[in-house]
Amino acid sequence: TLGVVMWGLIILLVRTLVAKNQAILSTLDGASGNPTIAVEALSRLKNLDPDKAAQVKAMVAKMLDSTKGTAEFVQLVEQFDLRDRSGDLLAYAAQHPTDVAAGTAVKLVLRNDPNALGTALAGPDGTTVPAALSASTDRGVIKLLSDLAANPKRELPARQAAVTALTRSKPGSQALLELAKKKQLSPELTPLAASLLHNVSYRDVRDEAAKLL
């Protein structure tokens, strides 16, 4: 009957899944020296039973320690939806601001712990984190960068980094123009802002910058 056939298919699928997961776990056991292979294998595991899930959890914890500061670390955090790694993600983004994985790291922090961005920008990484945020059009990120650029108490390199980051997106460029309109850009930042805004790809922004700066 149809019911018997369906149950047969379900059993076959379960057995196939178990066999596939077991093969992947075997791959993991032999890939301890190759984080790229290990991370890829972990990402393919699906619907594990409790015992296997505990085994994988231990593997993930070990892999996180050994891959910290790498793109594989970011991939693991994303794959397993880990929400307590914002500091490590931002540290990676600060050290590798132009890497694709840096953008992923920032997105994960925005999703799980947005307050960590403000903390990072206020700390010693304030000169490097902005570059990792430059591609973001998130309103919260734009505001953080704008506040940093306009804060006269912050060191000049950090404010310069914020200005540069803002000009990498149209919303950021528009926010920088607003700072100029409100006279919130310090004199030492105006030449940099003018140079960057006059050369963005957004014509309306260039025209407005020509009037203001």
Side-chain angles (χ1 to χ4, degrees):
T1 66
L2 181 60
V4 173
V5 173
M6 288 298 295
W7 273 113
L9 288 173
I10 291 172
I11 292 171
L12 178 60
L13 285 172
V14 169
R15 287 176 175 173
T16 300
L17 182 61
V18 169
K20 181 179 178 181
N21 282 339
Q22 189 58 51
I24 292 173
L25 288 170
S26 297
T27 299
L28 281 168
D29 287 336
S32 58
N34 191 322
T36 301
I37 292 177
V39 170
E40 179 64 23
L42 283 169
S43 71
R44 294 177 181 274
L45 290 169
K46 305 291 182 183
N47 304 318
L48 293 168
D49 63 63
D51 289 340
K52 297 299 184 185
Q55 181 182 350
V56 170
K57 185 176 180 180
M59 289 180 177
V60 170
K62 184 177 180 181
M63 287 299 302
L64 284 171
D65 291 336
S66 65
T67 61
K68 190 179 296 184
T70 69
E72 286 82 9
F73 175 87
V74 177
Q75 185 179 343
L76 276 175
V77 173
E78 180 180 30
Q79 173 68 28
F80 291 93
D81 194 25
L82 305 175
R83 303 184 176 221
D84 59 348
R85 296 286 179 157
S86 295
D88 294 326
L89 290 170
L90 287 173
Y92 173 83
Q95 293 168 5
H96 310 277
T98 60
D99 287 4
V100 173
T104 301
V106 169
K107 289 178 182 177
L108 291 173
V109 174
L110 278 172
R111 185 179 71 195
N112 298 327
D113 189 13
N115 290 334
L117 284 176
T119 301
L121 288 172
D125 288 330
T127 58
T128 52
V129 170
L133 304 180
S134 61
S136 176
T137 57
D138 181 88
R139 291 181 181 180
V141 171
I142 298 298
K143 186 179 186 306
L144 285 171
L145 291 172
S146 297
D147 290 346
L148 175 56
N151 187 350
K153 295 181 180 180
R154 290 302 305 273
E155 64 275 21
L156 182 58
R159 287 181 287 144
Q160 289 173 327
V163 167
T164 301
L166 285 168
T167 61
R168 301 291 172 80
S169 70
K170 186 167 186 178
S173 297
Q174 292 170 328
L176 193 56
L177 286 173
E178 284 299 312
L179 292 180
K181 289 178 184 177
K182 296 175 181 177
K183 308 296 184 184
Q184 293 180 341
L185 280 180
S186 60
E188 62 265 35
L189 285 179
T190 301
L192 174 63
S195 174
L196 293 172
L197 288 172
H198 290 167
N199 288 283
V200 296
S201 58
Y202 325 109
R203 182 173 180 177
D204 55 333
V205 172
R206 293 199 307 270
D207 291 345
E208 188 69 15
K211 298 174 186 176
L212 290 171
L213 301 166

